[in-house]
Amino acid sequence: MQGKLLVDLWERLRIDGIYHVGFREIFNLPKFLFGSRGRGEIDDPVGPGRLGGLFNTSPLEQLVKQGFPWENIAANIASGELKALAVNATHIATGATHVFIQQKDADIPPWEHEHQIHAFPVQINATHAMASAAIPWFFPAVELDGEIYFDGGIKLNTPISPAIRLGADRLFVIGLTSPEAPAESPRTPQSIEHFPSALFLLGKILNALMVDKTDYDLKRLERFNAMLDIDETISHKLASIRKEPYRKIDTLVVRPSEDLAVIAGRHLQTGTAATRAGGLFAPFLQRYGESSEGEANDLLSYLLFDGEYASDLIRLGMRDADAQRQRIIEFFSI
C-alpha cells in the first residue's frame, strides 16, 4: 500500500508543483549572486528560512511538510520497527557534514577521526529533509537552528557511513548510475570543435559532487570485506583509529539498467514536460530540449519533477528489481 501511495504521488508530479521560476526569481537573481539573503526574509510572505537559490521551492516545501506523517518516525522507533534514521546535510559555514540522527538511545556513534562529520541527536522533521535535498545553486539553502545547510551529498565522502556507524551489518543500496556508460552520440562533446555548454558542465559537476562518491564508497567497502576475509585480526588492529572494530558488511545494490539522463532528455524532446512546467521555466525547457538533442542531460535529470518522467523511472526500477528478485528475497530473509 505504501509503495502504491508513493507511485501515485510521483506520477501526479508537475514541475510547477515543486518549484517556480517567475519574475520574482529573476528580480532576486542579483541578490543570490552577490550574497544577499534573497528571498526568505522574516517578513517575506513566501516564508522565512529559505536562503538564495534560483528557484522558488515553496510548493515542494508544502508537499514535504504536509504530505508525510513525520510523527510516525518516533512511533516506529519506539515500537522497534525502525532502529534509527539519519539525514545528512552540508553545513555551509564550515563545509562539514552534519548528520541528524533520530533513535531511541540518545547516545550517538562516534566519528572522532572524521573531523568533517558531526552527528546530532534530533527529532527529524520536514526542515531536515529540505536541507538534505537543497540542490546547490538551484534550490534555496535551508536554515536550521540558526545555521545554513545545502544538500548532504556535496561533502560526505562516505555516504553509507552513517548506516554502518548506527549498527547496520547489511546495506541495500539503490544506485543512480547505470552499470555501463551510455554510448557516445555524435553530439557528445569530444573536442574543441564542440565545446560543451555551461549547462552540460554544471550537470557533470553535480554528478561529481553527489553521485560518484557513492560508487567510490561501495568499492572501498568491497576492499575492506576482502581484507577481513583474508585476516580477521585486521579489524581489531584498525579499531584504535576508528574507535570501534571493522566488521564485514553484506551489500546488495540495485542500479538502473538505463542512463537516467538519457531518459530525461528523451522525455524533454518527445513528451509534453515543457508544456506542463508553467511559468518562465517552460520556454527554457523547450529551448533546452531543442538545443541539447543527443547530449547528456545530467542536469535535467535533477530538475525534471514530472509525472511522465517519473512513471518511466518507476517502471525501470520495477524491471531492474525484478531482475534481481531472488537475490533480494534472500537478502531480506537472513
Side-chain angles (χ1 to χ4, degrees), residues 191-206:
S191 66
I192 194 63
E193 284 77 15
H194 189 190
F195 188 77
S197 67
L199 296 177
F200 179 95
L201 293 175
L202 185 54
K204 296 302 180 184
I205 291 171
L206 285 175

Side-chain angles (χ1 to χ4, degrees), residues 18-20 25 28 32 37-40 46-61 92 127 129-143 148-151:
I18 299 297
Y19 55 79
H20 296 311
E25 284 62 53
N28 279 328
F32 167 65
R37 286 175 63 98
R39 81 172 69 85
V46 176
R50 296 181 298 111
L51 310 170
L54 295 175
F55 297 165
N56 177 354
T57 57
S58 55
L60 173 61
E61 292 168 28
I92 291 181
T127 307
M130 291 296 300
S132 179
I135 302 173
W137 304 303
F138 295 100
F139 287 11
V142 175
E143 184 177 343
I148 307 173
Y149 294 91
F150 259 142
D151 193 299

